[in-house]
Amino acid sequence: MKNIDILHEDDISIIVNKPAGLAVQGGKEVKSSLDKILAQYGKDILLVHRLDKETSGVLLAAKGRDNAAYFSRLFEGAQGFDKKIKKIYTAVCSGHIEKDGGIITDELVIKGVRKKSETKYNVLKRDNLKESGVEYTVVELEPGTGRMHQIRRHLAMIGNPVIGDDKYGDFQLNKKLKKDAGVKRLLLHAARLVIDDKIKLDIQAPLPVYFNHFYN
């Protein structure tokens, strides 16, 4: 598939590593999108979940409507941490998150309504950039609920926004890191998708090279 890495394919699904900057769905001003690319790859391939345009990583599409309905039920039922489908993310955040792990439970306002929201996190690394002395934290995250922009909003709410986030982030810091370290992307990656149902899958997507500055 042109410019898209296929991580897994079987009779009922195709799982790809979506690059940052590629919209999942087409729209009025969207020139290229993953759904259009998948449509060229094969007939009746249907998206069953989403990633933000600037978020890279694991994304599953189903082959056929019956399989799409099955996977959609799994994703819709993925509330709480004891579930049959899990999405694990890696992010680089500004500042040092003090606790090694925990659950962010701040409610999020969705269309004017406050909604229960949960994001589990585990700190992988704390460090400072040699070029600028900027503090950062690499974290692994698992959303227990599926609110819009949940991970990005939760990290911003605890004072450690995702580096490169132009909506909820530290804009001055992003500008500085773009100049000092060449950071031009949102440092949020859907690293792993685990399904533990009648279908069992554990698919991982390697981190994009622009994470190397912070992760190695």
Side-chain angles (χ1 to χ4, degrees), residues 42-202:
K43 293 181 179 179
D44 214 16
I45 297 178
L46 305 170
L47 295 169
V48 292
H49 68 119
R50 306 285 184 266
L51 289 176
D52 294 342
K53 180 180 179 180
E54 296 305 326
T55 302
S56 58
V58 182
L59 193 142
L60 181 149
K63 294 181 176 180
R65 297 192 178 279
D66 289 345
N67 294 321
Y70 163 70
F71 286 117
S72 292
R73 285 194 297 270
L74 286 184
F75 278 102
E76 289 168 3
Q79 302 296 315
F81 299 108
D82 182 18
K83 55 198 175 187
K84 295 180 178 180
I85 191 163
K86 296 183 179 183
K87 295 182 288 183
I88 311 297
Y89 293 77
T90 300
V92 182
C93 310
S94 65
H96 285 172
I97 298 177
E98 293 183 6
K99 293 183 179 180
D100 290 339
I103 300 176
I104 306 169
T105 58
D106 297 84
E107 292 183 338
L108 296 175
V109 177
I110 308 296
K111 295 182 179 180
V113 179
R114 299 185 70 84
K115 298 282 188 177
K116 176 184 176 182
S117 305
E118 295 181 323
T119 302
K120 185 188 295 184
Y121 73 91
N122 177 47
V123 170
L124 302 178
K125 178 183 179 182
R126 299 181 185 91
D127 206 345
N128 294 17
L129 275 178
K130 294 179 182 179
E131 297 91 332
S132 60
V134 169
E135 295 181 341
Y136 69 90
T137 304
V138 181
V139 284
E140 181 180 82
L141 305 116
E142 178 189 348
T145 49
R147 312 303 181 198
M148 182 179 288
H149 299 165
Q150 177 176 308
I151 287 175
R152 295 162 62 185
R153 294 170 73 182
H154 265 170
L155 288 171
M157 289 169 81
I158 66 169
N160 302 98
V162 180
I163 289 175
D165 192 336
D166 60 5
K167 187 175 181 68
Y168 306 102
D170 184 329
F171 309 118
Q172 291 301 316
L173 179 63
N174 290 343
K175 186 176 180 179
K176 176 179 176 61
L177 289 177
K178 185 175 182 180
K179 179 181 178 181
D180 293 350
V183 177
K184 299 178 182 179
R185 291 291 189 187
L186 175 73
L187 296 184
L188 178 63
H189 178 69
R192 186 179 175 198
L193 178 70
V194 181
I195 299 175
D196 186 13
D197 194 49
K198 65 180 182 181
I199 304 297
K200 298 189 182 299
L201 290 171
D202 188 342

